[in-house]
């Protein structure tokens, strides 16, 4: 029985929807992305259903990060890519299309042209310092 019967990834964990599973443990599940950005593109998800990083329990987040490290190492050892990106999207404005928290492992090769970057240009350092002060207050009181 899926944790959330309307959630695609809960249904994949439950076995209701087929996938190419590569790893699972008590708290996490990993499988190949159906629309790979590159050869070896994999997804790691917590068994716990949570829409974004904000709703996910710290324990499930930690377990998912550890599984992502295992998957990334297996991808590195098996496919020997030039590099690997970990990607995680929250809300449609950030590119999220499936609303069950997940980490992408995306193998990269030199010159593959995948657009995950942004142009390097200096920020307004006064604005950056002001924002850092606000965040320090939020994080540390
Ligand atoms: P997001 O855009 O939410 O960060 O990533 C969702 C990912 O899930 C996409 O890369 C998409 O290709 C993948 N995806 C969507 N539906 C399925 C599916 O049914 N099976 C698998 N294996 N991947 C899926
Ligand atoms: Zn779910």
């Amino acid at each position: 029985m899926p944790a959330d019967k309307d959630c695609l990834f809960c249904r994949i964990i439950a076995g209701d929807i087929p996938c190419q599973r590569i790893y699972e443990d008590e708290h996490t599940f990993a499988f190949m992305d159906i629309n790979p950005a590159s050869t070896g593109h994999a997804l790691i998800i917590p068994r716990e259903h949570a829409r974004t990083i904000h709703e996910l329990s710290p324990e499930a987040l930690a377990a998912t990060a550890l599984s992502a490290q295992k998957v990334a190492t297996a991808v590195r050892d098996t496919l020997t890519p030039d590099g690997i990106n970990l990607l995680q999207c929250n809300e449609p404005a950030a590119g999220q299309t499936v609303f069950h928290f997940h980490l992408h492992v995306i193998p990269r090769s030199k010159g593959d042209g995948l657009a995950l970057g942004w142009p390097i240009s200096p920020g307004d350092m006064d604005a950056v310092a002001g924002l850092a002060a606000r965040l320090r207050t939020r994080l540390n009181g």
Side-chain angles (χ1 to χ4, degrees):
M1 179 70 172
D4 179 336
K5 65 178 175 31
D6 298 322
C7 170
L8 175 65
F9 285 176
C10 283
R11 294 182 67 202
I12 284 179
I13 291 170
D16 293 351
I17 295 175
C19 74
Q20 290 297 329
R21 180 177 54 85
I22 55 173
Y23 178 75
E24 64 181 310
D25 60 26
E26 188 184 352
H27 299 294
T28 69
F29 190 95
F31 55 105
M32 304 308 288
D33 196 295
I34 204 169
N35 307 301
S38 65
T39 302
H41 183 173
L43 300 170
I44 299 90
I45 61 180
R47 292 185 186 276
E48 177 183 306
H49 175 85
R51 177 182 172 95
T52 73
I53 194 169
H54 306 295
E55 294 84 21
L56 189 63
S57 71
E59 295 76 18
L61 176 60
T64 308
L66 290 173
S67 293
Q69 185 186 43
K70 284 193 175 80
V71 170
T73 300
V75 165
R76 181 198 65 186
D77 294 348
T78 306
L79 301 174
T80 59
D82 296 326
I84 292 175
N85 284 116
L86 289 194
L87 175 69
Q88 196 272 311
C89 308
N90 300 285
E91 302 297 352
Q96 187 176 14
T97 59
V98 176
F99 298 98
H100 178 129
F101 176 90
H102 51 281
L103 285 170
H104 297 256
V105 167
I106 305 176
R108 301 296 304 272
S109 48
K110 288 185 192 116
D112 63 16
L114 277 183
L116 297 175
W118 51 89
I120 299 293
S121 63
D124 173 339
M125 283 304 125
D126 289 339
V128 170
L131 182 55
R134 288 173 60 198
L135 290 171
R136 272 194 299 275
T137 300
R138 175 70 180 82
L139 287 163
N140 307 306

